[in-house]
Amino acid sequence: MITHDEAEVRAELRDWLRAHWDVNRSLVAWRNLLVDSGWGMPHWPRAWHGRSLPMALLPAVEEEFEAAQAVGVARIGIRLLAAATLLEHGSNAHKARFLRRILTGEDTWCQLFSEPGSGSDLAGATTRAHSDSDGWVINGQKLWTTSAHHADWGLLLARTDWDAPKHSGMSYFIIDMTQPGVEVQPLKQMNGHASFNQVFFTDAKVPAENLVGKTGDGWKIAMTTLAHERRNADALRRWGHASPYAGAIYDQERAEIATVMEPYKWYPQRAGRVDLIMSRARETGRLADPALRQDIARLMMLSRSAEWLAHRARQAKVAGKPEGPEGSLGKLVASHVARAASHVHTLISGADAMLAGADGPHDGLIAEILLSVPATSIAGGTDEIQRNIIGERVLDLPREPRMDTGPFRDVPRNPTRGR
Amino acid sequence: MRFGYTDEQEQFRDIVARFLRERSPTSEVRKHMASDAGYDRALWRQLVTELGLTGVHVPESLGGQGFGYVELGIALEEMGRALLCAPYFASSVLATEVLRTVATETEQAMLLPALVSGEKLGTLAWVERGGQWDVAATTLTAHGQGEACRLDGHKKFVLDGHHADLLLVVARTRGSVGDAGLGVYAVDAEAVGITRRQLATIDSTRRQAEITFSDTPARRLGGTESAAVKLRQSLDRATIALACEMVGGARALLDSAVGYAKLRMQFGRPIGSFQAIKHKCAEMLLEVELASSAARYAAAAIDDNDSEVPALASLAKAMAGDAYMHAAIECIQIHGGIGFTWDEDTHLWFKRAKSSQVMLGDASHHRERYMALTEASA
Ligand SMILES: Cc1cc2nc3c(=O)[nH]c(=O)nc-3n(C[C@H](O)[C@H](O)[C@H](O)COP(=O)(O)OP(=O)(O)OC[C@H]3O[C@@H](n4cnc5c(N)ncnc54)[C@H](O)[C@@H]3O)c2cc1C
Ligand SMILES: Cc1cc2nc3c(=O)[nH]c(=O)nc-3n(C[C@H](O)[C@H](O)[C@H](O)COP(=O)(O)OP(=O)(O)OC[C@H]3O[C@@H](n4cnc5c(N)ncnc54)[C@H](O)[C@@H]3O)c2cc1C
């Protein structure tokens, strides 16, 4: 095993940044350098734009980037899920073709999994892929597809075999979102934003080489994407903000983040903005209410304990320990925190909680919190599904009884397009 | 290392856990909770001689093992899990803690080794009839100086107070109010003017007593300055220790509920395959892990001399109190009718959960205290 000394890694990176970081470079040119050097994703393998560094050294690397005020590789949005999935299951040709442009920020991605008829039951997808002479032809509809309106590429789960049991009849494709036969329609959310879409496929082509893994491997590969999605909340917090410095490269980064983050601009609100609670309670004069104080303290305690739980999961991962219960509990506790926060925000604001926009407290921010929180317990797998996962995979309780075995063709399901 | 345990710490946990599994199964707990003494003297000796648990966080110079609060927390978690029936919390946590913070070095050297060696049992008597957990509510008075010092008054809810050898009594000088004039007094339990009565409690694995002092000779510890600040500091640490113990108990309940849900068949399936039960178990796990994260973090914060310890003590106690009680209720529920019987073990933990919920301040008390401390530091 190669050992890495933190001081040496820092020194090497510092030298490299001193020699190469230049605010006058274009963003893409700089990121190409980062990709070639391996410093952009230092925990990735050497063969694929990384340096095979242990995860434990990532904070040190980030600190050096910050100290040099240097911009990193593109790291927000669904592109990260694509990168993680392709790194694990993609062919060398996929990796060579897609990974670099993900990291340079030239390509953005979306995740085409959910459908009108299958959300929690993702393996019930009925979007159809049939093969023809040049590859595959896609017909069907996806729903709630975040960022599809910005995406160059999509991660697509589609059914390739109707006679196999549901989980083994699906395949995983990379699809060009800009081609004919792919129609993206924005979908307005209850909070007024439109960060997700419905996507219609009408005889849309996927060349043979864009199948990931083998035909029928779709479910297994989707599991990798979903596992990364559950753990991804961190990335939005850490890399969702542009550097505050002056210079052309920062301007380009700001423009990129503004576009990529556009669908996510309400994301902090969906977590309930616990950070605002104390100051809101003070400014509304509600901090003196003994009943409310109990609710506030309960929320603060829950939220802090949840952070410590997440730390334990991260530390176990860094130490190379198998994923413990801490890991799978993160998504569920996030929605408990969000709901509790929304409740407390309502109590703190009193009658003002009914108001939105310029009439509402904090220029509508509070209304936005109240109307965004419900997403947390649905997106990325509902609370109920998380409880099933925790119950069955962590506590090893008996599986749900199944009514959906046998050929998919015969499984009862929602009526949809695409058959 | 606030979030993970080192390999050595994991090994320590395994040793304590194995010992308690072998020596203190619920059959033993049931035997001793029904006895007059309320604990097993032979087991107590073994805790001292084989594992040195009575001095986990006491410096080696005073006969202890010289570890920190993280290790103390680990030991307590395992004791809570096994529902150990012993005067550990009274003597090795409360009394030891107060001696360590309030007493002078000379006094510690004089009094502490006997507690660490298990030769004597100590306890702290600070709460009175009203059951207020704040030392400022003390009414028991001390008068006279030095050798002539005497105590008059009444203490209640004194853990293992009926058989402790060394009583550390919180008293105030005559005429003082609030934090002023508070002191800790060492009293030999055999001294004149002491009347002790064991209280009937819902949790017979942890005994409590009522003690009256009437012109009882005592020795003030740690000089003449008010002991209020140091007392609160030691009570914060004891509160964190209690939270660790409670997390261990909650874990035992979770394990028991999950184990039963896998085995018990109704309607042709194990009840754990019904979501109503499966989801309860998942939520219990979440609560236990949250409380465990808080208790661990708080214990590590003591070792780091973190100034936030008072707030963290309240946080850990409130989280542990809710998680433990909830686990106890759900565990009985999942056991169905069997869960409400004396023969099934769940009620033993239910009772410990109930008394721990209240002891050292309930969750509402600690949430309010957390708010006050947070505001003060903002
Ligand atoms: C803001 C947002 C962004 C999203 N972004 C994307 C995206 O980018 N790409 C993408 O593919 N999808 C995306 N989704 C879709 C999301 O993954 C699904 O909405 C989610 O998985 C739930 O599926 P559903 O809406 O079909 O609900 P259903 O599966 O129909 O569930 C309805 C209710 O039934 C419950 N339920 C279902 N199955 C079970 C069960 N076995 N046991 C107990 N209860 C059950 C659910 O918990 C829920 O309460 C997004 C959703 C939201 C809200
Ligand atoms: C104080 C007391 C007095 C009683 N008096 C009488 C009496 O006079 N006469 C008499 O005949 N009985 C009596 N009973 C028994 C009582 O009716 C049963 O205990 C009760 O019906 C539960 O059955 P069980 O104990 O076998 O639990 P189980 O059926 O084993 O249930 C265990 C757990 O699984 C859950 N569970 C079981 N099936 C399902 C399901 N399909 N979906 C979701 N969850 C499920 C239960 O809710 C419970 O949480 C009494 C019980 C008590 C506690």
Side-chain angles (χ1 to χ4, degrees):
Chain A
M1 205 179 114
I2 315 164
T3 55
H4 301 274
D5 178 62
E6 179 176 324
E8 274 171 33
V9 168
R10 280 182 188 268
E12 193 184 347
L13 173 55
R14 216 172 297 148
D15 286 345
W16 188 86
L17 284 170
R18 209 175 291 127
H20 295 90
W21 169 242
D22 177 358
V23 286
N24 296 315
R25 255 189 247 279
S26 84
L27 186 60
V28 170
W30 161 242
R31 281 180 173 161
N32 270 303
L33 271 182
L34 276 180
V35 171
D36 291 333
S37 69
W39 285 116
M41 282 302 210
H43 56 302
W44 279 15
R46 281 187 185 277
W48 295 109
H49 317 311
R51 304 190 134 242
S52 305
L53 284 191
M55 296 281 283
L57 286 179
L58 286 189
V61 168
E62 275 165 38
E63 273 174 37
E64 293 300 328
F65 269 79
E66 271 162 36
Q69 304 188 354
V71 172
V73 291
R75 259 190 287 212
I76 39 177
I78 292 167
R79 66 172 91 236
L80 271 189
L81 306 185
T85 308
L86 294 181
L87 203 56
E88 198 166 325
H89 300 285
S91 65
N92 284 344
H94 293 146
K95 291 176 191 168
R97 178 158 170 217
F98 295 112
L99 290 180
R100 173 179 291 270
R101 288 175 61 90
I102 287 176
L103 300 181
T104 60
E106 289 163 280
D107 286 346
T108 66
W109 290 65
C110 66
Q111 180 192 32
L112 301 155
F113 285 4
S114 302
E115 297 182 6
S118 66
S120 301
D121 183 14
L122 204 53
T126 56
T127 287
R128 167 194 289 268
H130 69 263
S131 59
D132 74 357
S133 51
D134 326 307
W136 301 86
V137 180
I138 313 295
N139 281 287
Q141 180 192 353
K142 293 288 174 178
L143 197 56
W144 305 300
T145 315
T146 302
S147 295
H149 54 306
H150 293 306
D152 303 288
W153 298 97
L155 302 166
L156 173 75
L157 200 54
R159 184 157 306 277
T160 40
D161 185 349
W162 293 70
D163 296 311
K166 63 197 280 189
H167 291 89
S168 44
M170 300 208 293
S171 302
Y172 199 103
F173 300 95
I174 297 164
I175 187 166
D176 180 349
M177 294 295 288
T178 62
Q179 67 177 308
V182 177
E183 190 195 338
V184 177
Q185 280 180 8
L187 201 54
K188 193 168 174 180
Q189 297 151 192
M190 63 173 274
N191 58 5
H193 296 287
S195 53
F196 55 36
N197 305 270
Q198 32 189 352
V199 182
F200 297 94
F201 302 97
T202 314
D203 291 331
K205 306 262 190 218
V206 173
E209 67 266 22
N210 282 8
L211 172 73
V212 183
K214 292 196 292 291
T215 316
D217 281 352
W219 180 253
K220 186 184 80 192
I221 301 170
M223 286 295 109
T224 304
T225 315
L226 293 179
H228 281 274
E229 183 175 14
R230 282 198 287 273
R231 289 190 218 114
N232 223 14
D234 252 14
L236 272 176
R237 247 197 313 275
R238 283 154 72 204
W239 292 303
H241 308 283
S243 324
Y245 314 114
I249 195 164
Y250 301 118
D251 292 340
Q252 289 173 42
E253 189 199 23
R254 267 190 285 277
E256 175 194 277
I257 288 186
T259 311
V260 177
M261 284 305 286
E262 178 265 324
Y264 300 103
K265 59 179 179 284
W266 56 280
Y267 265 41
Q269 274 67 280
R270 80 176 195 172
R273 292 301 303 268
V274 177
D275 58 316
L276 289 181
I277 296 278
M278 283 299 273
S279 60
R280 281 283 299 152
R282 209 168 280 128
E283 81 189 21
T284 55
R286 302 299 303 279
L287 207 49
D289 177 336
L292 188 54
R293 290 169 72 83
Q294 288 287 317
D295 283 327
I296 295 175
R298 203 179 272 119
L299 169 64
M300 296 301 189
M301 291 174 173
L302 176 65
S303 157
R304 293 192 72 188
S305 301
E307 273 169 39
W308 297 327
L309 187 63
H311 268 284
R312 279 170 58 197
R314 240 172 277 147
Q315 202 158 63
K317 195 171 160 198
V318 165
K321 294 189 179 152
E323 181 153 352
E326 313 89 25
S328 26
L329 295 167
K331 171 102 199 348
L332 184 57
V333 73
S335 72
H336 283 301
V337 171
R339 281 188 179 170
S342 160
H343 170 70
V344 173
H345 269 299
T346 309
L347 296 179
I348 292 173
S349 293
D352 279 349
M354 297 187 286
L355 304 179
D359 288 329
H362 277 225
D363 232 9
L365 177 64
I366 301 304
E368 182 130 309
I369 293 168
L370 304 185
L371 298 181
S372 298
V373 158
T376 307
S377 45
I378 300 171
T382 65
D383 284 2
E384 288 74 20
I385 296 299
Q386 304 310 325
R387 290 191 195 103
N388 279 352
I389 293 175
I390 293 163
E392 293 173 12
R393 309 235 181 103
V394 182
L395 297 175
D396 202 24
L397 287 163
R399 299 273 161 152
E400 292 298 293
R402 304 220 69 128
M403 329 263 250
D404 58 353
T405 50
F408 184 69
R409 198 179 286 289
D410 305 331
V411 171
R413 60 180 168 271
N414 298 295
T416 46
R417 252 178 74 142
R419 281 218 59 178
Chain B
M1 286 295 271
R2 285 207 178 174
F3 303 107
Y5 293 121
T6 63
D7 290 343
E8 289 74 24
Q9 288 166 340
E10 294 288 2
Q11 276 162 20
F12 174 63
R13 175 191 298 283
D14 287 345
I15 292 169
V16 178
R18 191 164 349 110
F19 174 84
L20 292 172
R21 229 180 3 254
E22 282 163 16
R23 283 291 280 114
S24 184
T26 48
S27 52
E28 286 295 300
V29 171
R30 283 173 180 272
K31 192 163 99 200
H32 296 291
M33 72 185 214
S35 72
D36 283 341
Y39 74 106
D40 179 357
R41 285 180 208 282
L43 175 63
W44 183 247
R45 283 243 57 81
Q46 274 179 305
L47 274 185
V48 178
T49 52
E50 288 178 27
L51 299 177
L53 291 184
T54 41
V56 178
H57 65 306
V58 175
E60 283 160 307
S61 59
L62 293 167
Q65 307 229 49
F67 293 119
Y69 285 84
V70 171
E71 286 80 4
L72 178 70
I74 291 173
L76 278 161
E77 231 182 84
E78 293 308 321
M79 292 178 193
R81 189 200 292 260
L83 208 67
L84 174 71
C85 206
Y88 189 85
F89 197 82
S91 191
S92 305
V93 179
L94 279 172
T96 301
E97 204 50 65
V98 168
L99 283 177
R100 293 274 295 126
T101 38
V102 177
T104 63
E105 274 180 37
T106 324
E107 289 162 349
Q108 287 185 39
M110 210 166 66
L111 297 172
L112 204 47
L115 299 190
V116 173
S117 69
E119 219 172 291
K120 286 190 174 175
L121 297 182
T123 191
L124 175 70
W126 87 103
V127 198
E128 301 181 356
R129 281 195 183 109
Q132 289 190 52
W133 304 100
D134 188 358
V135 288
T138 301
T139 65
L140 190 144
T141 53
H143 57 97
Q145 302 288 318
E147 297 295 308
C149 187
R150 297 285 186 277
L151 301 183
D152 279 298
H154 188 91
K155 293 287 176 186
K156 207 171 168 182
F157 312 107
V158 185
L159 291 188
D160 294 287
H162 62 297
H163 57 206
D165 309 292
L166 171 65
L167 307 175
L168 301 175
V169 184
V170 178
R172 62 167 64 257
T173 49
R174 254 185 210 158
S176 67
V177 286
D179 278 6
L182 286 178
V184 175
Y185 295 79
V187 179
D188 184 338
E190 302 298 318
V192 295
I194 291 186
T195 332
R196 306 199 265 185
R197 183 173 77 87
Q198 209 183 129
L199 295 163
T201 56
I202 57 171
D203 174 18
S204 41
T205 64
R206 185 130 73 196
R207 305 295 170 92
Q208 301 184 19
E210 185 171 45
I211 310 181
T212 307
F213 301 86
S214 164
D215 206 31
T216 305
R219 236 174 61 103
R220 187 177 168 119
L221 299 175
T224 52
E225 219 174 280
S226 165
V229 172
K230 287 180 171 172
L231 260 171
R232 287 213 181 84
Q233 186 187 4
S234 50
L235 287 171
D236 280 337
R237 294 175 172 191
T239 301
I240 291 169
L242 180 60
C244 292
E245 189 203 277
M246 293 165 79
V247 165
R251 241 180 236 293
L253 289 160
L254 169 69
D255 290 347
S256 158
V258 170
Y260 190 74
K262 286 179 193 171
L263 294 177
R264 173 72 171 171
M265 302 286 284
Q266 290 290 283
F267 305 97
R269 324 161 26 177
I271 57 171
S273 72
F274 294 110
Q275 284 191 348
I277 300 296
K278 185 178 293 177
H279 287 192
K280 263 190 213 299
C281 292
E283 290 290 339
M284 276 165 87
L285 174 70
L286 178 57
E287 277 194 65
V288 170
E289 292 295 346
L290 286 168
S292 165
S293 302
R296 269 183 200 202
Y297 186 89
I302 307 178
D303 288 331
D304 292 353
N305 272 320
D306 189 326
S307 62
E308 218 201 338
V309 164
L312 292 172
S314 283
L315 193 162
K317 178 64 171 48
M319 292 295 288
D322 288 351
Y324 199 1
M325 206 53 236
H326 188 232
I329 290 168
E330 295 289 50
C331 185
I332 291 187
Q333 180 65 20
I334 290 171
H335 276 81
I338 290 274
F340 194 65
T341 64
W342 186 268
D343 282 346
E344 162 60 42
D345 287 334
T346 310
H347 70 94
L348 303 177
W349 276 273
F350 183 99
K351 291 165 182 173
R352 180 67 76 81
K354 238 329 148 213
S355 68
S356 305
Q357 184 187 19
V358 177
M359 208 170 102
L360 287 162
D362 66 13
S364 306
H365 166 89
H366 282 290
R367 281 191 287 264
E368 177 49 44
R369 185 167 174 267
Y370 181 82
M371 285 300 284
L373 290 167
T374 308
E375 278 175 90
S377 71

